Amino acid sequence: METVDTVTRARALFDAAPRPLGFVPTMGALHDGHLELVRRARLRCASVGASIFVNPLQFGPNEDFARYPRDEERDRVKLSQAGADMVFVPSGTTMYPVDFSTFVEVGPMGHLFEGAHRPDHFRGVTTVIAKLLNIARPDVLFLGQKDAQQAAVVRKMIAELNYPVEIEIVPTVRERDGLAMSSRNRYLDATQRAQAPTLYRALEATRDALDRGVSKSQAIAEGTAALSASAKLDYLDLVDADSFAPLERLRPPAFIVAAARFGGTRLIDNLWITE
Ligand code: AMP
C-alpha cells in the first residue's frame, strides 16, 4: 500500500489507479467499522484509496480534537490488510493553509440533531469531503450508516454540487453486545462501556413500540426508558431518511436517531427503517 502526504502526490497516485476507484475517508483510530468500508470498496472497485485526517473543522471549540486518538502506523497496517491500495495522510496545513477561507455551507438539514448540538460540524464535514473528492476524484465514495445524518448531508452536497461520484452506504458494524463501533468508544471507562449498549437498546425499544402501532411520543418514552439512567440523552427521534425532518408517524424510509452522553463521551447511533 502506498502512502502519500501532499496533494500533488495524492493526485498523481489516485489519477493513475485502475478504475473504478473506491474511496474511504476516515479520521483514523481505525476499527472494524472503518475496515468494513474498505472491504466493501475492495469487492466493488478495481482500486481502493483511503484517507486518514483528523479534520479540525468538524470539531467544536470544546470538543475532543486535541485528544482524538491518533495511531497512524497501526492504521496503515490495518488499511493494507483490509485491501486498500493507497492512503492519503495530509497534515493540517496541507488541507488548510493559514489563510484558508472557503467553506461548503450546509442547508437546514445541517442544523438539525447533530448540527443543533454541534454548530458548524457539518460545514466542516462537507468542506473536507469536497476537498478530498477534488483531490482523489474517486468513482465511488464509501460512507458508514453509523453516521447517517453525515451521509445524508454529503449525499445532498454531491447531488447539488454535481460531484461525479456514486455513494455506497455500508451498514453499521457493531460489537457483540450491540454497541456501534466508534473511535470514541475507547474513551469509555469499564462502567460506561457496560452502559453504552443501552443506546442501541433505546433505538430497538423505540422501533418495537412503533411496530406495535403506539404514538411516536409513547414509542420515544419507551425508548428513553431503555437507556441507562446514568446516561444523558441529547435526542431520540424518528426522522425522514432523506431530509432528517422529524416524522410524526412511521413512514419509511426513515431513521430512528439517538445521541447520548456517557460521562464525558458523546455517542450517536441509529436504526434504518425500510419498507
Ligand atoms: P470517522 O473516522 O469517524 O470519520 O469515520 C469514517 C467513516 O467510517 C465514516 O463514513 C463513518 O460513518 C464510518 N464508520 C464509523 N464507524 C462505523 C461503524 N461502526 N460501522 C460502519 N461504518 C462506520
Side-chain angles (χ1 to χ4, degrees), residues 145 155 169 171 207 210-211 238-242 247 249-256 270-275:
Q145 189 208 307
R155 186 191 289 286
I169 308 290
R207 181 198 53 205
L210 288 169
D211 283 348
L238 173 67
V239 302
D240 177 76
D242 292 321
L247 292 172
R249 54 175 53 100
L250 193 50
R251 199 183 60 222
F255 286 109
I256 303 169
N270 66 82
L271 281 183
W272 191 33
I273 315 288
T274 50
E275 310 286 339

Short mmCIF file of all heavy atoms in Angstrom, two decimals, residues 145 155 169 171 207 210-211 238-242 247 249-256 270-275:
data_model
loop_
_atom_site.label_atom_id
_atom_site.label_comp_id
_atom_site.label_asym_id
_atom_site.label_seq_id
_atom_site.Cartn_x
_atom_site.Cartn_y
_atom_site.Cartn_z
N GLN A 145 -23.22 3.92 7.61
CA GLN A 145 -24.57 4.27 8.09
C GLN A 145 -24.53 4.73 9.55
O GLN A 145 -25.42 5.41 10.02
CB GLN A 145 -25.49 3.06 7.95
CG GLN A 145 -26.95 3.41 8.22
CD GLN A 145 -27.73 2.23 8.75
OE1 GLN A 145 -27.71 1.17 8.13
NE2 GLN A 145 -28.38 2.40 9.89
N ARG A 155 -24.59 13.24 0.80
CA ARG A 155 -25.34 12.83 -0.40
C ARG A 155 -25.97 14.06 -1.08
O ARG A 155 -25.95 14.21 -2.29
CB ARG A 155 -26.43 11.83 -0.01
CG ARG A 155 -27.17 11.23 -1.19
CD ARG A 155 -28.40 10.47 -0.74
NE ARG A 155 -28.11 9.23 -0.05
CZ ARG A 155 -27.68 8.12 -0.66
NH1 ARG A 155 -27.47 8.11 -1.96
NH2 ARG A 155 -27.46 7.02 0.03
N ILE A 169 -23.48 3.33 0.94
CA ILE A 169 -23.58 3.40 2.40
C ILE A 169 -23.45 1.98 2.96
O ILE A 169 -24.17 1.07 2.55
CB ILE A 169 -24.95 3.99 2.84
CG1 ILE A 169 -25.22 5.33 2.14
CG2 ILE A 169 -25.02 4.13 4.36
CD1 ILE A 169 -24.37 6.46 2.57
N PRO A 171 -23.66 -0.74 6.07
CA PRO A 171 -24.37 -0.91 7.35
C PRO A 171 -23.44 -0.82 8.56
O PRO A 171 -22.25 -1.15 8.47
CB PRO A 171 -24.97 -2.32 7.24
CG PRO A 171 -25.07 -2.59 5.78
CD PRO A 171 -23.92 -1.85 5.14
N ARG A 207 -38.19 1.34 18.12
CA ARG A 207 -38.68 0.68 16.90
C ARG A 207 -39.76 -0.36 17.24
O ARG A 207 -40.80 -0.42 16.59
CB ARG A 207 -37.53 -0.01 16.18
CG ARG A 207 -37.98 -0.71 14.88
CD ARG A 207 -36.98 -1.74 14.41
NE ARG A 207 -36.68 -2.68 15.47
CZ ARG A 207 -35.55 -3.38 15.56
NH1 ARG A 207 -34.62 -3.24 14.64
NH2 ARG A 207 -35.34 -4.22 16.56
N LEU A 210 -42.98 1.40 17.99
CA LEU A 210 -43.61 1.92 16.75
C LEU A 210 -44.24 0.77 15.96
O LEU A 210 -45.33 0.91 15.41
CB LEU A 210 -42.57 2.63 15.88
CG LEU A 210 -42.08 4.00 16.39
CD1 LEU A 210 -40.87 4.45 15.58
CD2 LEU A 210 -43.19 5.04 16.34
N ASP A 211 -43.56 -0.38 15.94
CA ASP A 211 -44.09 -1.54 15.22
C ASP A 211 -45.42 -2.00 15.83
O ASP A 211 -46.27 -2.55 15.13
CB ASP A 211 -43.09 -2.72 15.27
CG ASP A 211 -41.95 -2.52 14.29
OD1 ASP A 211 -42.05 -1.62 13.43
OD2 ASP A 211 -40.95 -3.27 14.40
N LEU A 238 -37.61 10.11 15.53
CA LEU A 238 -37.91 9.42 14.28
C LEU A 238 -37.84 10.47 13.17
O LEU A 238 -38.51 11.51 13.26
CB LEU A 238 -39.33 8.84 14.37
CG LEU A 238 -39.91 8.21 13.11
CD1 LEU A 238 -39.16 6.94 12.74
CD2 LEU A 238 -41.40 7.88 13.34
N VAL A 239 -37.03 10.20 12.13
CA VAL A 239 -36.82 11.21 11.09
C VAL A 239 -36.92 10.61 9.70
O VAL A 239 -36.69 9.42 9.49
CB VAL A 239 -35.43 11.90 11.23
CG1 VAL A 239 -35.27 12.54 12.60
CG2 VAL A 239 -34.29 10.93 10.94
N ASP A 240 -37.25 11.48 8.74
CA ASP A 240 -37.25 11.09 7.34
C ASP A 240 -35.81 10.78 6.90
O ASP A 240 -34.88 11.53 7.22
CB ASP A 240 -37.83 12.24 6.51
CG ASP A 240 -37.79 11.92 5.04
OD1 ASP A 240 -38.63 11.14 4.59
OD2 ASP A 240 -36.90 12.46 4.33
N ALA A 241 -35.61 9.69 6.14
CA ALA A 241 -34.26 9.25 5.81
C ALA A 241 -33.51 10.24 4.91
O ALA A 241 -32.29 10.31 4.96
CB ALA A 241 -34.30 7.88 5.15
N ASP A 242 -34.22 11.00 4.09
CA ASP A 242 -33.54 11.92 3.17
C ASP A 242 -33.32 13.29 3.78
O ASP A 242 -32.24 13.86 3.67
CB ASP A 242 -34.34 12.07 1.88
CG ASP A 242 -34.33 10.77 1.09
OD1 ASP A 242 -33.28 10.10 1.06
OD2 ASP A 242 -35.38 10.41 0.53
N LEU A 247 -40.49 12.99 11.90
CA LEU A 247 -41.75 12.42 11.41
C LEU A 247 -42.68 12.20 12.59
O LEU A 247 -42.23 11.81 13.67
CB LEU A 247 -41.49 11.06 10.76
CG LEU A 247 -40.69 11.02 9.45
CD1 LEU A 247 -40.38 9.57 9.08
CD2 LEU A 247 -41.49 11.70 8.34
N ARG A 249 -45.36 10.06 12.36
CA ARG A 249 -45.60 8.61 12.35
C ARG A 249 -44.66 7.93 11.37
O ARG A 249 -44.09 8.59 10.48
CB ARG A 249 -47.06 8.30 12.03
CG ARG A 249 -47.60 8.91 10.75
CD ARG A 249 -49.01 8.41 10.53
NE ARG A 249 -49.83 8.64 11.71
CZ ARG A 249 -50.67 9.66 11.84
NH1 ARG A 249 -50.83 10.50 10.85
NH2 ARG A 249 -51.36 9.84 12.93
N LEU A 250 -44.49 6.65 11.58
CA LEU A 250 -43.52 5.89 10.80
C LEU A 250 -43.88 5.91 9.31
O LEU A 250 -44.98 5.49 8.92
CB LEU A 250 -43.50 4.44 11.32
CG LEU A 250 -42.36 3.56 10.85
CD1 LEU A 250 -41.02 4.23 11.04
CD2 LEU A 250 -42.39 2.24 11.62
N ARG A 251 -42.97 6.45 8.50
CA ARG A 251 -43.17 6.49 7.05
C ARG A 251 -41.82 6.19 6.40
O ARG A 251 -41.02 7.08 6.15
CB ARG A 251 -43.68 7.88 6.66
CG ARG A 251 -44.35 7.91 5.28
CD ARG A 251 -44.78 9.33 4.91
NE ARG A 251 -43.65 10.25 4.86
CZ ARG A 251 -43.65 11.49 5.34
NH1 ARG A 251 -44.71 11.97 5.94
NH2 ARG A 251 -42.58 12.25 5.25
N PRO A 252 -41.53 4.90 6.16
CA PRO A 252 -40.22 4.53 5.63
C PRO A 252 -39.99 5.12 4.23
O PRO A 252 -40.99 5.35 3.52
CB PRO A 252 -40.28 3.00 5.56
CG PRO A 252 -41.46 2.60 6.38
CD PRO A 252 -42.41 3.75 6.34
N PRO A 253 -38.73 5.30 3.81
CA PRO A 253 -37.53 5.05 4.60
C PRO A 253 -37.30 6.12 5.66
O PRO A 253 -37.42 7.31 5.37
CB PRO A 253 -36.42 5.07 3.54
CG PRO A 253 -36.93 5.96 2.46
CD PRO A 253 -38.43 5.78 2.44
N ALA A 254 -36.96 5.66 6.84
CA ALA A 254 -36.79 6.57 7.97
C ALA A 254 -35.62 6.09 8.83
O ALA A 254 -35.13 4.97 8.65
CB ALA A 254 -38.07 6.60 8.81
N PHE A 255 -35.20 6.95 9.72
CA PHE A 255 -34.22 6.55 10.74
C PHE A 255 -34.78 6.85 12.11
O PHE A 255 -35.49 7.85 12.29
CB PHE A 255 -32.91 7.36 10.62
CG PHE A 255 -32.04 6.98 9.46
CD1 PHE A 255 -31.91 7.83 8.37
CD2 PHE A 255 -31.33 5.79 9.47
CE1 PHE A 255 -31.10 7.50 7.30
CE2 PHE A 255 -30.51 5.45 8.40
CZ PHE A 255 -30.40 6.30 7.31
N ILE A 256 -34.48 5.99 13.06
CA ILE A 256 -34.59 6.38 14.46
C ILE A 256 -33.18 6.77 14.85
O ILE A 256 -32.23 5.99 14.66
CB ILE A 256 -35.12 5.23 15.34
CG1 ILE A 256 -36.48 4.75 14.83
CG2 ILE A 256 -35.24 5.68 16.79
CD1 ILE A 256 -36.94 3.46 15.46
N ASN A 270 -28.07 4.89 15.23
CA ASN A 270 -29.36 5.00 14.52
C ASN A 270 -29.79 3.63 14.04
O ASN A 270 -28.97 2.71 13.94
CB ASN A 270 -29.22 5.96 13.33
CG ASN A 270 -28.28 5.40 12.27
OD1 ASN A 270 -28.67 4.57 11.44
ND2 ASN A 270 -27.01 5.81 12.31
N LEU A 271 -31.07 3.52 13.75
CA LEU A 271 -31.63 2.34 13.09
C LEU A 271 -32.30 2.80 11.81
O LEU A 271 -33.05 3.79 11.82
CB LEU A 271 -32.70 1.68 13.96
CG LEU A 271 -32.25 0.79 15.10
CD1 LEU A 271 -33.48 0.19 15.78
CD2 LEU A 271 -31.35 -0.32 14.58
N TRP A 272 -32.05 2.08 10.76
CA TRP A 272 -32.66 2.40 9.46
C TRP A 272 -33.94 1.61 9.32
O TRP A 272 -33.95 0.38 9.50
CB TRP A 272 -31.67 2.04 8.35
CG TRP A 272 -32.04 2.55 7.00
CD1 TRP A 272 -32.70 3.71 6.71
CD2 TRP A 272 -31.76 1.91 5.76
NE1 TRP A 272 -32.83 3.85 5.35
CE2 TRP A 272 -32.27 2.76 4.75
CE3 TRP A 272 -31.11 0.74 5.40
CZ2 TRP A 272 -32.16 2.46 3.39
CZ3 TRP A 272 -31.00 0.43 4.05
CH2 TRP A 272 -31.53 1.28 3.06
N ILE A 273 -35.03 2.29 9.04
CA ILE A 273 -36.33 1.61 8.90
C ILE A 273 -36.71 1.62 7.43
O ILE A 273 -36.98 2.69 6.87
CB ILE A 273 -37.43 2.33 9.71
CG1 ILE A 273 -36.94 2.70 11.12
CG2 ILE A 273 -38.69 1.48 9.76
CD1 ILE A 273 -36.76 1.56 12.06
N THR A 274 -36.70 0.44 6.82
CA THR A 274 -37.07 0.35 5.40
C THR A 274 -38.52 -0.09 5.30
O THR A 274 -39.18 -0.33 6.31
CB THR A 274 -36.16 -0.64 4.66
OG1 THR A 274 -36.12 -1.84 5.42
CG2 THR A 274 -34.75 -0.11 4.53
N GLU A 275 -39.02 -0.20 4.07
CA GLU A 275 -40.44 -0.59 3.86
C GLU A 275 -40.76 -1.87 4.61
O GLU A 275 -39.99 -2.80 4.56
CB GLU A 275 -40.71 -0.82 2.36
CG GLU A 275 -40.25 0.30 1.45
CD GLU A 275 -41.13 1.54 1.53
OE1 GLU A 275 -42.29 1.40 1.96
OE2 GLU A 275 -40.66 2.62 1.16
#
